[in-house]
Each structure stands twice: as structure tokens, then as C-alpha cells.
Amino acid sequence: MDLGIASPSDPWSVMAITLFVALLCACIVIGHLLEESRWMNESITALAIGICTGVVLLLTTNWRKSRILVFSEDLFFNYVLPPIIFNAGFQVKKKQFFRNFMTIMLFGAAGTMISFFIISLGALGLVRRLDIGLLDIGDYLAIGAIFSATDSVCTLQVLNQDETPLLYSLVFGEGVVNDATSIVLFNAIQNFGQAHMDVVVVIRFFANFFYLFLTSTALGAFAGLFSAFIIKKLYFGRHSTDREVALMILMAYLSYMLAEFLNLSSILTVFFCGIVMSHYTWHNVTESSRITTKHAFATLSFIAEIFLFLYVGMDALDIEKWKFVSNSPGKSIGVSSILLGLVLLGRAAFVFPLSFLSNLTKKSPDEKISFKQQVTIWWAGLMRGAVSMALAYNQFTRSGHTQLRGNAVMITSTITVVLFSTTLFGLMTKPLIRLLLPSSQKHQGDMPSEPSSPKSFMQPLLGNEHESEFDAGGQTIPRPTSLRMLLSKPTHTVHHYWRKFDNAFMRPVFGGRGFVPVLPHSPTEQNAHP
């Protein structure tokens, strides 16, 4: 970790870790006190505390460079991001996610591609005119990928998954797929030659993109299935909560690092690993292991998110990078303004047209995305966060530093866009959603969420598994038996045949809902072994 840690006995490393732990505690306490605030949320609170801490550090060091303020993309990608993405997949309500899967992929994949082209072409045409330094075509394509990565944490903290299930599912699902698509795009840009652009290069670029997308998803599904099989076979009759929890955590992290080792999209891999683990592996362990894993993954994700915003706020005041743009602050402001405008334009260019196309395929008014919901989705994707910063550092620095003026301008502009969008747009998120989605209308236009069960802590996961053949109105869905039914009700038809395949082939091998682990000295074991 690039936190100024030279050795375990280095006093500076001890001070740095102590400072971060104390600040994390402060963020949790202050965020809790401001939970009911009309404007603030935990993300903005952590960002503000990080900035204030950075100012204090600079004042105490006489405005000299402080090692604790260096952003490390390795720290971000290898340690902070995995628990956030895995928990997102592990806790997601799969029924809502896959019910809106086509719309989510439309926004997250196709929409990100549209935003990528608009931002790349806009930066190529406008930023180049400011003469900020030597940037090649690959840099401008990378800018498109960097600023296509959204950060919808602020909006998700305001939305309620049970009150607005459709909207929450779209914002959440698009955010995860968007981040994965942006990183896959970024990796694809770095992997292909940029000496000349022709049809062959473009085809190879998209082929590489889809290869990364599909192989990363397959690897995540395989890792989840493998963990389910291992736990089902290895611990049958000899369950240990400690071993089960440790194996689930390590297998999830192994899938992430294996994807990194194979140059795949680790975000997609660990996200789908989380989905598969919650569908199979989680049901193969004992009840105490289920309680532990559910809260352990959520806690790790919560701490990582707070640490992320705290880290970004502190890094924003690293004085080293700002020295390169101090002679021409106007150009840095100009680049930041152009990029922010392109973000607004690129977001609007796909949210509203793709929402219109999605609504054309929906027959029920309750399944269509209303204009107010479209505005909320557009707003949710305007904020930029740590993914954009990590990609910018990866493209424009070496080991967190740069000696090139053009690269320094891009780094400072990225920081400016992240801070401005997170602070301003984040502060306006609660009032905007209260205006667009008042409490009396939150349920309108949303598919009802899975029924809650007050008797079980496992409801958020078990609620995904209800295998009902009834639609929202309580009417029986006709049994899909023909191509006509597939075309008229594709989601229900695919779900029907997946259930048949899952029950007949997958669950007997990998376990899942309905599998009851045998505990030592339990009545189940005594009956099984007379």
C-alpha cells in the first residue's frame, strides 16, 4: 500500500494507519448524526472530512508534500474495490436485477459506449484546442473511458430498495455494469495499437471488449459454482463456521485477483461471483455461517466505501500535482469545465433515448420508466468518483507522480470534476429525489419488491429465491410452451426454463436453496447415520 509505509516498524506508517482508523470512526459517527440531514450523506461527509484533514496536514507541514496524500491505484483496485463490488452482487435482489436485466445492460453497456464516444470526441475537439500539452489519440480515448465511469453511491444512499424497487434496481445495476464496462474499455484501449485507426483496428477493439466482458463474467460464475461445490462436498456432515466463512471470503477474493492476473475485468468477475455465491454457496452453509457472512460482507463494504471517499478527499490536496498547473490555472479550469459539460451531455444522450426504446418493449404501464424516473437515472450517473481517479492515475502518471504538464493538467482536472460533481450534485440529490419522488408517489411506476419477512434475518437473500409463478397482480403466468410465448413474455419464459434447468441439474450438484447441511450430533445426522 502506498501510504508511506516503509516497514512495519516505521513510525510514519503507524501514524498513517492510526490517522485513517480514527478518521473512519469519525466518519461513521458524524454520518450517523447527519443521517436525517436534508443535504448531507455519508459519502459527502467522508469527502469533507478528508479534505479538512488534508488542509490540516498541509498546514502542519508548511505546505510541503506529505506521503499520506498519495493516491495508489493498486491500493484502490486490490484492496478497497473488491469488497464493495462483491457485496453488491451478494446482497442484490436477483429477482429484480434479472427482471430488468436487458434494461440494465442497455444502460450499463450500450449507454456507456455512447457516453464514451461523446466524451472522447468532445475532448479530442475541444481540449486539444487549449494546448495543455502533448496528448495522443490513446489519451483522448482513455479520457472517454475515465469519465464514463459513474459513481451512483450518493443516489443509492437516498433511494430505498423496498419503496422504489424498479428505480433502485436500474440505478444500482447500471452503476455496476457501467464501472465494469468503463474499465474493460480502458483496458481494451491500452491493449490495442494506436499508430493508425482503420476498420480492422476498430473491429479488433470491439472484439477485445466483448472477449473481456464475456470471459470475466464466465470466470466469476465458475468461481461461485466451484466454491459451492467445494463447501457442499468437503464439509458435508463436518461443518465449521470459521472455515466456511473463511473459504467464502478467500474464494471471492481469489476470483478477483485471478481476473487481475489474467488481465480480465475483475469487477465483473467478483460481481457475478457474488451473485452465484448467494444463489448456491450461501445455502450450503450452516445458519450461523449465513448470519456471519451476510453481516461480514456488508460491514467490509461499508468500511471500504467510507475509506474510499475519505482517501479521495485527502488526496485532492496533494500539493505536488498542483505545482504543474499553478502557472496557468485558467487552462485547468477550462479543461474541467469542458469535461463536466461532456459528462452532462454524454449522460443525457443515452438515458432519455434508451429509456424511450426500453418503454417500447414494455406493455404494462407499471414496467415503463416515467420521465421523473429518467431524470433521476440521469442525475444518478452525473457524479464521478474513485474509479475515474484510479483510471486517470493509471493513464497519466507513473507510481502516482507525473513530470509532464499535460498529464498533470488531466490529473488535476479529474480531481476537480470528482470533487465538484460529488459535492454539488451529491448535496442536491436528496432534495431532487424528494421533489421528483415524494413519499406518496414512490410506489407508483415501480414493480413491487419481494415480500418482506420479519421473522428472518435472511430475508434480503432468501427474498431473491421466491419461485412464484404469479405476476404483480397475483395472476398465474401462462406456462410458456412456444416461440410466440417467448416473444411475448421473454423474461418470464427465460425464468421458467432456467428454473427447470436449475432444479434438475444445478442444485443437485452445487446445492442451493433447499439444501440443509448436516451438523455433528444433530437429529439430522442421527437420522442419516443410524
Side-chain angles (χ1 to χ4, degrees):
M1 301 182 190
D2 192 5
L3 282 170
I5 299 178
S7 67
S9 59
D10 184 6
W12 179 260
S13 68
V14 176
M15 189 196 76
I17 295 174
T18 303
L19 176 63
F20 268 103
V21 173
L23 291 176
L24 285 173
C25 294
C27 290
I28 293 174
V29 173
I30 297 175
H32 176 74
L33 296 176
L34 297 177
E35 187 175 7
E36 301 300 326
S37 170
R38 177 180 175 85
W39 303 95
M40 298 294 289
N41 56 54
E42 287 176 336
S43 301
I44 300 176
T45 301
L47 192 65
I49 292 176
I51 293 175
C52 294
T53 305
V55 172
V56 173
L57 286 174
L58 290 177
L59 292 175
T60 56
T61 58
N62 295 323
W63 295 89
R64 293 195 302 269
K65 182 181 182 300
S66 176
R67 290 179 294 170
I68 201 172
L69 298 178
V70 177
F71 186 92
S72 170
E73 61 267 22
D74 289 336
L75 172 66
F76 170 71
F77 281 113
N78 293 336
Y79 302 103
V80 180
L81 192 59
I84 297 175
I85 302 300
F86 175 78
N87 185 67
F90 193 76
Q91 302 283 2
V92 66
K93 291 191 174 181
K94 297 187 290 297
K95 197 171 184 179
Q96 278 291 335
F97 180 81
F98 287 105
R99 175 184 289 163
N100 303 302
F101 186 74
M102 294 307 298
T103 305
I104 289 172
M105 293 301 297
L106 192 65
F107 285 158
T112 302
M113 294 292 292
I114 295 173
S115 179
F116 162 73
F117 282 115
I118 290 178
I119 296 175
S120 296
L121 294 176
L124 185 62
L126 298 175
V127 174
R128 176 177 284 184
R129 295 183 180 181
L130 296 180
D131 190 26
I132 62 174
L134 183 61
L135 298 178
D136 57 28
I137 183 65
D139 290 327
Y140 288 105
L141 292 176
I143 290 173
I146 290 168
F147 288 97
S148 295
T150 65
D151 189 342
S152 53
V153 172
C154 288
T155 306
L156 290 176
Q157 288 178 348
V158 178
L159 293 176
N160 187 296
Q161 188 169 195
D162 295 317
E163 293 180 346
T164 55
L166 171 62
L167 187 58
Y168 188 96
S169 176
L170 293 178
V171 173
F172 166 80
E174 189 235 336
V176 174
V177 177
N178 166 273
D179 284 347
T181 304
S182 299
I183 294 176
V184 170
L185 271 173
F186 185 82
N187 293 336
I189 291 169
Q190 292 188 325
N191 290 338
F192 86 101
Q194 303 154 5
H196 61 282
M197 295 290 293
D198 54 26
V199 177
V200 177
V201 171
V202 174
I203 293 176
R204 288 178 55 193
F205 171 78
F206 282 104
N208 188 33
F209 170 80
F210 286 111
Y211 164 77
L212 291 174
F213 207 95
L214 295 176
T215 53
S216 301
T217 302
L219 177 61
F222 173 79
L225 292 174
F226 185 66
S227 69
F229 182 80
I230 288 292
I231 289 182
K232 181 174 182 291
K233 295 297 182 182
L234 187 62
Y235 289 112
F236 189 79
R238 296 178 57 246
H239 281 257
S240 167
T241 297
D242 296 338
R243 293 191 181 97
E244 288 173 341
V245 174
L247 192 58
M248 288 183 68
I249 293 176
L250 292 176
M251 287 292 292
Y253 191 63
L254 177 63
S255 71
Y256 184 91
M257 297 309 299
L258 187 59
E260 285 286 308
F261 177 75
L262 298 175
N263 294 320
L264 302 177
S265 173
S266 50
I267 285 184
L268 270 179
T269 296
V270 79
F271 176 71
F272 279 97
C273 178
I275 290 180
V276 174
M277 274 193 174
S278 69
H279 189 70
Y280 295 107
T281 313
W282 191 75
H283 296 280
N284 295 344
V285 300
T286 58
E287 183 170 323
S288 59
S289 297
R290 296 178 189 179
I291 299 174
T292 304
T293 53
K294 177 181 180 295
H295 292 290
F297 294 147
T299 301
L300 290 173
S301 174
F302 176 71
I303 294 175
E305 286 183 2
I306 296 178
F307 176 84
L308 201 54
F309 284 96
L310 182 66
Y311 199 21
V312 169
M314 294 181 66
D315 178 74
L317 293 178
D318 181 16
I319 199 66
E320 188 73 18
K321 62 178 70 70
W322 295 97
K323 291 180 180 179
F324 292 93
V325 298
S326 58
N327 295 330
S328 54
K331 288 188 177 182
S332 180
I333 296 175
V335 173
S336 302
S337 302
I338 291 173
L339 293 175
L340 192 61
L342 291 174
V343 167
L344 295 170
L345 177 62
R347 185 75 184 167
F350 77 82
V351 168
F352 299 105
L354 294 185
S355 297
F356 175 77
L357 293 178
S358 177
N359 287 341
L360 292 178
T361 64
K362 309 292 184 182
K363 294 184 178 180
S364 171
D366 291 335
E367 296 180 345
K368 294 185 177 182
I369 308 172
S370 67
F371 179 74
K372 290 184 177 180
Q373 292 174 331
Q374 294 176 33
V375 173
T376 304
I377 295 172
W378 170 74
W379 184 268
L382 294 180
M383 285 157 277
R384 296 298 178 264
V387 173
S388 295
M389 286 192 62
L391 295 180
Y393 273 93
N394 186 281
Q395 178 69 23
F396 297 109
T397 70
R398 297 294 180 268
S399 301
H401 301 282
T402 179
Q403 301 296 327
L404 300 177
R405 179 170 172 271
N407 289 355
V409 171
M410 290 310 308
I411 292 294
T412 55
S413 298
T414 302
I415 293 174
T416 303
V417 171
V418 168
L419 292 179
F420 183 86
S421 61
T422 301
T423 304
L424 182 62
F425 297 156
L427 287 173
M428 297 173 61
T429 296
K430 280 187 179 181
L432 179 67
I433 291 182
R434 288 176 180 175
L435 176 65
L436 295 175
L437 305 171
S439 300
S440 60
Q441 300 178 5
K442 278 186 177 180
H443 292 276
Q444 296 183 8
D446 277 314
M447 293 293 292
S449 179
E450 289 80 2
S452 60
S453 175
K455 65 181 180 181
S456 175
F457 66 89
M458 296 180 288
Q459 185 274 329
L461 293 178
L462 295 181
N464 304 329
E465 306 295 336
H466 292 311
E467 307 239 347
S468 175
E469 284 287 340
F470 298 94
D471 60 13
Q475 298 178 347
T476 303
I477 300 172
R479 182 185 180 90
T481 56
S482 64
L483 179 63
R484 181 178 180 182
M485 184 60 67
L486 177 63
L487 296 176
S488 61
K489 295 180 179 291
T491 303
H492 298 305
T493 306
V494 172
H495 180 246
H496 170 79
Y497 284 111
W498 162 250
R499 282 179 50 206
K500 292 182 63 176
F501 175 77
D502 191 29
N503 293 330
F505 298 100
M506 300 296 288
R507 288 182 177 175
V509 176
F510 300 104
R513 183 167 171 79
F515 172 71
V516 180
V518 177
L519 294 174
H521 311 296
S522 67
T524 306
E525 185 192 38
Q526 294 173 7
N527 294 334
H529 303 284

